[in-house]
Amino acid sequence: MKILASLILMTIFISCASNKKEPTAKEQVQGLQKMCTDNKDAMEKRQKANPLYNRLRKKEGITEFVDKLYLAHKTNEKIGHMFQRVPERRFKKNVVAFLTVGTGGKGKYNGGTMKDVHAHLGITPADFLAAGGDVNTVMKGMKFGDNEIQEVVCALVAFVPVVVRM
């Protein structure tokens, strides 16, 4: 009887604790922004010790990542529609250049501003999370470490104010 009473009390406690609502997509994006801010010093230290460009396996690794990311975005049920009219070759060329320069490699990015490139898309926090999920999945599949994933995600999170409609 004591065991049954304990189980009932435990079940009630668990069900009350699980009534906590899931964070909204907006709250999740804000959580990412906080995580990036909280880890800024550590990321800068890693960048000085060994640039992210090198840790992403230089241009070859970035190109492979972008090839896989494009396919992941295009086939993503939540955001694939945004890629219907995006020329694959131009997307890949610009994203490779953007990541190369942004992670410490040499080169020049000649694409548009992040605000201009994304303005017509009406990206929501949920869309941003879906795209970020693709980044995470592709990078894990390529065996990148948590630090590299965090730094790429945080580089993208930095553009939330200009590309996401919060």
Side-chain angles (χ1 to χ4, degrees):
M1 193 64 153
K2 284 184 179 182
I3 294 175
L4 181 61
S6 295
L7 285 173
I8 291 171
L9 285 174
M10 206 161 62
T11 303
I12 292 170
F13 176 75
I14 290 171
S15 67
C16 289
S18 66
N19 283 339
K20 224 177 188 181
K21 73 174 195 177
E22 266 310 292
T24 65
K26 181 178 178 178
E27 291 167 338
Q28 290 176 56
V29 170
Q30 290 168 333
L32 284 171
Q33 289 173 309
K34 181 176 178 352
M35 182 267 301
C36 293
T37 299
D38 291 349
N39 289 282
K40 184 179 178 209
D41 292 341
M43 290 186 290
E44 286 175 357
K45 193 174 187 178
R46 289 192 300 260
Q47 180 68 7
K48 284 181 184 172
N50 186 13
L52 182 56
Y53 177 76
N54 294 339
R55 292 179 281 132
L56 293 177
R57 302 177 202 134
K58 302 182 177 181
K59 190 161 187 165
E60 184 179 307
I62 290 172
T63 300
E64 180 184 352
F65 167 68
V66 171
D67 286 344
K68 291 178 178 187
L69 184 64
Y70 179 82
L71 181 60
H73 282 348
K74 192 162 178 132
T75 59
N76 185 314
E77 288 182 17
K78 294 179 183 171
I79 61 170
H81 66 280
M82 294 180 184
F83 288 82
Q84 293 303 315
R85 293 190 207 134
V86 175
E88 181 176 353
R89 187 180 219 169
R90 188 179 75 205
F91 173 88
K92 289 179 177 182
K93 177 184 167 221
N94 284 334
V95 176
V96 167
F98 180 80
L99 287 174
T100 296
V101 172
T103 60
K106 294 186 191 293
K108 187 172 183 182
Y109 171 70
N110 294 315
T113 67
M114 291 301 106
K115 183 177 183 177
D116 291 344
V117 170
H118 296 88
H120 69 285
L121 297 173
I123 297 172
T124 65
D127 297 331
F128 183 82
L129 292 173
D134 290 343
V135 169
N136 187 50
T137 299
V138 169
M139 290 188 76
K140 281 187 177 193
M142 292 179 66
K143 307 286 189 243
F144 285 111
D146 290 339
N147 288 341
E148 288 70 36
I149 294 170
Q150 178 189 53
E151 289 173 51
V152 170
V153 167
C154 287
L156 300 173
V157 166
F159 290 101
V160 164
V162 295
V163 301
V164 179
R165 294 191 178 162
M166 297 290 276

mmCIF file with all atom_site columns, all heavy atoms in Angstrom, residues 52-65:
data_model
loop_
_atom_site.group_PDB
_atom_site.id
_atom_site.type_symbol
_atom_site.label_atom_id
_atom_site.label_alt_id
_atom_site.label_comp_id
_atom_site.label_asym_id
_atom_site.label_entity_id
_atom_site.label_seq_id
_atom_site.pdbx_PDB_ins_code
_atom_site.Cartn_x
_atom_site.Cartn_y
_atom_site.Cartn_z
_atom_site.occupancy
_atom_site.B_iso_or_equiv
_atom_site.pdbx_formal_charge
_atom_site.auth_seq_id
_atom_site.auth_comp_id
_atom_site.auth_asym_id
_atom_site.auth_atom_id
_atom_site.pdbx_PDB_model_num
ATOM 1   N N   . LEU A 1 52 ? 38.296 29.648 -36.771 1.00 0.00 ? 52 LEU A N   1
ATOM 2   C CA  . LEU A 1 52 ? 37.210 28.742 -37.132 1.00 0.00 ? 52 LEU A CA  1
ATOM 3   C C   . LEU A 1 52 ? 37.368 28.256 -38.574 1.00 0.00 ? 52 LEU A C   1
ATOM 4   O O   . LEU A 1 52 ? 37.066 27.106 -38.882 1.00 0.00 ? 52 LEU A O   1
ATOM 5   C CB  . LEU A 1 52 ? 35.855 29.433 -36.935 1.00 0.00 ? 52 LEU A CB  1
ATOM 6   C CG  . LEU A 1 52 ? 34.606 28.608 -37.216 1.00 0.00 ? 52 LEU A CG  1
ATOM 7   C CD1 . LEU A 1 52 ? 34.578 27.329 -36.388 1.00 0.00 ? 52 LEU A CD1 1
ATOM 8   C CD2 . LEU A 1 52 ? 33.356 29.450 -36.960 1.00 0.00 ? 52 LEU A CD2 1
ATOM 9   N N   . TYR A 1 53 ? 37.861 29.100 -39.437 1.00 0.00 ? 53 TYR A N   1
ATOM 10  C CA  . TYR A 1 53 ? 38.110 28.712 -40.833 1.00 0.00 ? 53 TYR A CA  1
ATOM 11  C C   . TYR A 1 53 ? 38.942 27.425 -40.894 1.00 0.00 ? 53 TYR A C   1
ATOM 12  O O   . TYR A 1 53 ? 38.600 26.501 -41.629 1.00 0.00 ? 53 TYR A O   1
ATOM 13  C CB  . TYR A 1 53 ? 38.831 29.848 -41.559 1.00 0.00 ? 53 TYR A CB  1
ATOM 14  C CG  . TYR A 1 53 ? 39.214 29.538 -42.982 1.00 0.00 ? 53 TYR A CG  1
ATOM 15  C CD1 . TYR A 1 53 ? 38.258 29.530 -43.999 1.00 0.00 ? 53 TYR A CD1 1
ATOM 16  C CD2 . TYR A 1 53 ? 40.528 29.239 -43.318 1.00 0.00 ? 53 TYR A CD2 1
ATOM 17  C CE1 . TYR A 1 53 ? 38.608 29.243 -45.309 1.00 0.00 ? 53 TYR A CE1 1
ATOM 18  C CE2 . TYR A 1 53 ? 40.890 28.952 -44.627 1.00 0.00 ? 53 TYR A CE2 1
ATOM 19  C CZ  . TYR A 1 53 ? 39.927 28.955 -45.616 1.00 0.00 ? 53 TYR A CZ  1
ATOM 20  O OH  . TYR A 1 53 ? 40.277 28.669 -46.908 1.00 0.00 ? 53 TYR A OH  1
ATOM 21  N N   . ASN A 1 54 ? 39.997 27.352 -40.117 1.00 0.00 ? 54 ASN A N   1
ATOM 22  C CA  . ASN A 1 54 ? 40.838 26.147 -40.091 1.00 0.00 ? 54 ASN A CA  1
ATOM 23  C C   . ASN A 1 54 ? 40.078 24.958 -39.517 1.00 0.00 ? 54 ASN A C   1
ATOM 24  O O   . ASN A 1 54 ? 40.185 23.838 -40.007 1.00 0.00 ? 54 ASN A O   1
ATOM 25  C CB  . ASN A 1 54 ? 42.102 26.378 -39.267 1.00 0.00 ? 54 ASN A CB  1
ATOM 26  C CG  . ASN A 1 54 ? 43.025 27.397 -39.891 1.00 0.00 ? 54 ASN A CG  1
ATOM 27  O OD1 . ASN A 1 54 ? 42.967 27.674 -41.087 1.00 0.00 ? 54 ASN A OD1 1
ATOM 28  N ND2 . ASN A 1 54 ? 43.882 27.985 -39.067 1.00 0.00 ? 54 ASN A ND2 1
ATOM 29  N N   . ARG A 1 55 ? 39.326 25.208 -38.458 1.00 0.00 ? 55 ARG A N   1
ATOM 30  C CA  . ARG A 1 55 ? 38.597 24.131 -37.793 1.00 0.00 ? 55 ARG A CA  1
ATOM 31  C C   . ARG A 1 55 ? 37.432 23.613 -38.624 1.00 0.00 ? 55 ARG A C   1
ATOM 32  O O   . ARG A 1 55 ? 36.946 22.504 -38.415 1.00 0.00 ? 55 ARG A O   1
ATOM 33  C CB  . ARG A 1 55 ? 38.138 24.581 -36.405 1.00 0.00 ? 55 ARG A CB  1
ATOM 34  C CG  . ARG A 1 55 ? 39.333 24.785 -35.466 1.00 0.00 ? 55 ARG A CG  1
ATOM 35  C CD  . ARG A 1 55 ? 38.938 25.247 -34.080 1.00 0.00 ? 55 ARG A CD  1
ATOM 36  N NE  . ARG A 1 55 ? 38.641 26.677 -34.095 1.00 0.00 ? 55 ARG A NE  1
ATOM 37  C CZ  . ARG A 1 55 ? 37.562 27.231 -33.556 1.00 0.00 ? 55 ARG A CZ  1
ATOM 38  N NH1 . ARG A 1 55 ? 36.665 26.491 -32.932 1.00 0.00 ? 55 ARG A NH1 1
ATOM 39  N NH2 . ARG A 1 55 ? 37.377 28.531 -33.601 1.00 0.00 ? 55 ARG A NH2 1
ATOM 40  N N   . LEU A 1 56 ? 36.990 24.426 -39.601 1.00 0.00 ? 56 LEU A N   1
ATOM 41  C CA  . LEU A 1 56 ? 35.938 23.978 -40.530 1.00 0.00 ? 56 LEU A CA  1
ATOM 42  C C   . LEU A 1 56 ? 36.533 23.277 -41.748 1.00 0.00 ? 56 LEU A C   1
ATOM 43  O O   . LEU A 1 56 ? 35.831 23.001 -42.711 1.00 0.00 ? 56 LEU A O   1
ATOM 44  C CB  . LEU A 1 56 ? 35.074 25.161 -40.972 1.00 0.00 ? 56 LEU A CB  1
ATOM 45  C CG  . LEU A 1 56 ? 34.208 25.810 -39.896 1.00 0.00 ? 56 LEU A CG  1
ATOM 46  C CD1 . LEU A 1 56 ? 33.457 27.005 -40.455 1.00 0.00 ? 56 LEU A CD1 1
ATOM 47  C CD2 . LEU A 1 56 ? 33.241 24.804 -39.282 1.00 0.00 ? 56 LEU A CD2 1
ATOM 48  N N   . ARG A 1 57 ? 37.838 23.009 -41.676 1.00 0.00 ? 57 ARG A N   1
ATOM 49  C CA  . ARG A 1 57 ? 38.580 22.323 -42.739 1.00 0.00 ? 57 ARG A CA  1
ATOM 50  C C   . ARG A 1 57 ? 38.746 23.195 -43.976 1.00 0.00 ? 57 ARG A C   1
ATOM 51  O O   . ARG A 1 57 ? 38.663 22.714 -45.106 1.00 0.00 ? 57 ARG A O   1
ATOM 52  C CB  . ARG A 1 57 ? 37.931 20.980 -43.078 1.00 0.00 ? 57 ARG A CB  1
ATOM 53  C CG  . ARG A 1 57 ? 37.830 20.068 -41.878 1.00 0.00 ? 57 ARG A CG  1
ATOM 54  C CD  . ARG A 1 57 ? 37.113 18.769 -42.196 1.00 0.00 ? 57 ARG A CD  1
ATOM 55  N NE  . ARG A 1 57 ? 36.609 18.222 -40.952 1.00 0.00 ? 57 ARG A NE  1
ATOM 56  C CZ  . ARG A 1 57 ? 35.386 17.751 -40.790 1.00 0.00 ? 57 ARG A CZ  1
ATOM 57  N NH1 . ARG A 1 57 ? 34.550 17.708 -41.798 1.00 0.00 ? 57 ARG A NH1 1
ATOM 58  N NH2 . ARG A 1 57 ? 35.010 17.286 -39.624 1.00 0.00 ? 57 ARG A NH2 1
ATOM 59  N N   . LYS A 1 58 ? 38.924 24.477 -43.705 1.00 0.00 ? 58 LYS A N   1
ATOM 60  C CA  . LYS A 1 58 ? 39.216 25.478 -44.735 1.00 0.00 ? 58 LYS A CA  1
ATOM 61  C C   . LYS A 1 58 ? 38.156 25.471 -45.840 1.00 0.00 ? 58 LYS A C   1
ATOM 62  O O   . LYS A 1 58 ? 37.022 25.091 -45.609 1.00 0.00 ? 58 LYS A O   1
ATOM 63  C CB  . LYS A 1 58 ? 40.626 25.305 -45.249 1.00 0.00 ? 58 LYS A CB  1
ATOM 64  C CG  . LYS A 1 58 ? 41.658 25.412 -44.129 1.00 0.00 ? 58 LYS A CG  1
ATOM 65  C CD  . LYS A 1 58 ? 43.059 25.303 -44.624 1.00 0.00 ? 58 LYS A CD  1
ATOM 66  C CE  . LYS A 1 58 ? 44.003 25.488 -43.426 1.00 0.00 ? 58 LYS A CE  1
ATOM 67  N NZ  . LYS A 1 58 ? 45.388 25.422 -43.815 1.00 0.00 ? 58 LYS A NZ  1
ATOM 68  N N   . LYS A 1 59 ? 38.531 25.957 -47.012 1.00 0.00 ? 59 LYS A N   1
ATOM 69  C CA  . LYS A 1 59 ? 37.553 26.132 -48.092 1.00 0.00 ? 59 LYS A CA  1
ATOM 70  C C   . LYS A 1 59 ? 36.911 24.800 -48.512 1.00 0.00 ? 59 LYS A C   1
ATOM 71  O O   . LYS A 1 59 ? 35.715 24.751 -48.804 1.00 0.00 ? 59 LYS A O   1
ATOM 72  C CB  . LYS A 1 59 ? 38.194 26.812 -49.294 1.00 0.00 ? 59 LYS A CB  1
ATOM 73  C CG  . LYS A 1 59 ? 37.171 27.224 -50.322 1.00 0.00 ? 59 LYS A CG  1
ATOM 74  C CD  . LYS A 1 59 ? 37.693 28.266 -51.258 1.00 0.00 ? 59 LYS A CD  1
ATOM 75  C CE  . LYS A 1 59 ? 36.544 28.730 -52.139 1.00 0.00 ? 59 LYS A CE  1
ATOM 76  N NZ  . LYS A 1 59 ? 36.832 29.943 -52.830 1.00 0.00 ? 59 LYS A NZ  1
ATOM 77  N N   . GLU A 1 60 ? 37.690 23.741 -48.500 1.00 0.00 ? 60 GLU A N   1
ATOM 78  C CA  . GLU A 1 60 ? 37.154 22.428 -48.883 1.00 0.00 ? 60 GLU A CA  1
ATOM 79  C C   . GLU A 1 60 ? 36.032 21.991 -47.943 1.00 0.00 ? 60 GLU A C   1
ATOM 80  O O   . GLU A 1 60 ? 34.968 21.539 -48.377 1.00 0.00 ? 60 GLU A O   1
ATOM 81  C CB  . GLU A 1 60 ? 38.273 21.395 -48.891 1.00 0.00 ? 60 GLU A CB  1
ATOM 82  C CG  . GLU A 1 60 ? 37.828 20.023 -49.363 1.00 0.00 ? 60 GLU A CG  1
ATOM 83  C CD  . GLU A 1 60 ? 38.982 19.027 -49.376 1.00 0.00 ? 60 GLU A CD  1
ATOM 84  O OE1 . GLU A 1 60 ? 40.026 19.326 -49.984 1.00 0.00 ? 60 GLU A OE1 1
ATOM 85  O OE2 . GLU A 1 60 ? 38.817 17.958 -48.756 1.00 0.00 ? 60 GLU A OE2 1
ATOM 86  N N   . GLY A 1 61 ? 36.264 22.126 -46.644 1.00 0.00 ? 61 GLY A N   1
ATOM 87  C CA  . GLY A 1 61 ? 35.248 21.740 -45.665 1.00 0.00 ? 61 GLY A CA  1
ATOM 88  C C   . GLY A 1 61 ? 34.030 22.651 -45.706 1.00 0.00 ? 61 GLY A C   1
ATOM 89  O O   . GLY A 1 61 ? 32.894 22.187 -45.581 1.00 0.00 ? 61 GLY A O   1
ATOM 90  N N   . ILE A 1 62 ? 34.278 23.944 -45.880 1.00 0.00 ? 62 ILE A N   1
ATOM 91  C CA  . ILE A 1 62 ? 33.164 24.898 -45.960 1.00 0.00 ? 62 ILE A CA  1
ATOM 92  C C   . ILE A 1 62 ? 32.329 24.613 -47.195 1.00 0.00 ? 62 ILE A C   1
ATOM 93  O O   . ILE A 1 62 ? 31.094 24.634 -47.145 1.00 0.00 ? 62 ILE A O   1
ATOM 94  C CB  . ILE A 1 62 ? 33.693 26.354 -45.929 1.00 0.00 ? 62 ILE A CB  1
ATOM 95  C CG1 . ILE A 1 62 ? 34.243 26.669 -44.533 1.00 0.00 ? 62 ILE A CG1 1
ATOM 96  C CG2 . ILE A 1 62 ? 32.597 27.341 -46.325 1.00 0.00 ? 62 ILE A CG2 1
ATOM 97  C CD1 . ILE A 1 62 ? 34.961 27.998 -44.423 1.00 0.00 ? 62 ILE A CD1 1
ATOM 98  N N   . THR A 1 63 ? 32.968 24.322 -48.309 1.00 0.00 ? 63 THR A N   1
ATOM 99  C CA  . THR A 1 63 ? 32.239 24.012 -49.546 1.00 0.00 ? 63 THR A CA  1
ATOM 100 C C   . THR A 1 63 ? 31.382 22.760 -49.381 1.00 0.00 ? 63 THR A C   1
ATOM 101 O O   . THR A 1 63 ? 30.208 22.732 -49.778 1.00 0.00 ? 63 THR A O   1
ATOM 102 C CB  . THR A 1 63 ? 33.221 23.855 -50.726 1.00 0.00 ? 63 THR A CB  1
ATOM 103 O OG1 . THR A 1 63 ? 33.937 25.082 -50.885 1.00 0.00 ? 63 THR A OG1 1
ATOM 104 C CG2 . THR A 1 63 ? 32.495 23.520 -52.019 1.00 0.00 ? 63 THR A CG2 1
ATOM 105 N N   . GLU A 1 64 ? 31.941 21.731 -48.764 1.00 0.00 ? 64 GLU A N   1
ATOM 106 C CA  . GLU A 1 64 ? 31.169 20.507 -48.512 1.00 0.00 ? 64 GLU A CA  1
ATOM 107 C C   . GLU A 1 64 ? 29.980 20.804 -47.595 1.00 0.00 ? 64 GLU A C   1
ATOM 108 O O   . GLU A 1 64 ? 28.862 20.331 -47.831 1.00 0.00 ? 64 GLU A O   1
ATOM 109 C CB  . GLU A 1 64 ? 32.068 19.438 -47.885 1.00 0.00 ? 64 GLU A CB  1
ATOM 110 C CG  . GLU A 1 64 ? 31.339 18.139 -47.600 1.00 0.00 ? 64 GLU A CG  1
ATOM 111 C CD  . GLU A 1 64 ? 32.194 17.101 -46.886 1.00 0.00 ? 64 GLU A CD  1
ATOM 112 O OE1 . GLU A 1 64 ? 33.414 17.302 -46.732 1.00 0.00 ? 64 GLU A OE1 1
ATOM 113 O OE2 . GLU A 1 64 ? 31.617 16.067 -46.482 1.00 0.00 ? 64 GLU A OE2 1
ATOM 114 N N   . PHE A 1 65 ? 30.240 21.589 -46.554 1.00 0.00 ? 65 PHE A N   1
ATOM 115 C CA  . PHE A 1 65 ? 29.168 21.966 -45.625 1.00 0.00 ? 65 PHE A CA  1
ATOM 116 C C   . PHE A 1 65 ? 28.054 22.705 -46.361 1.00 0.00 ? 65 PHE A C   1
ATOM 117 O O   . PHE A 1 65 ? 26.872 22.388 -46.199 1.00 0.00 ? 65 PHE A O   1
ATOM 118 C CB  . PHE A 1 65 ? 29.744 22.825 -44.490 1.00 0.00 ? 65 PHE A CB  1
ATOM 119 C CG  . PHE A 1 65 ? 28.703 23.519 -43.664 1.00 0.00 ? 65 PHE A CG  1
ATOM 120 C CD1 . PHE A 1 65 ? 27.838 22.801 -42.848 1.00 0.00 ? 65 PHE A CD1 1
ATOM 121 C CD2 . PHE A 1 65 ? 28.570 24.897 -43.711 1.00 0.00 ? 65 PHE A CD2 1
ATOM 122 C CE1 . PHE A 1 65 ? 26.875 23.441 -42.083 1.00 0.00 ? 65 PHE A CE1 1
ATOM 123 C CE2 . PHE A 1 65 ? 27.606 25.548 -42.947 1.00 0.00 ? 65 PHE A CE2 1
ATOM 124 C CZ  . PHE A 1 65 ? 26.750 24.821 -42.141 1.00 0.00 ? 65 PHE A CZ  1
#
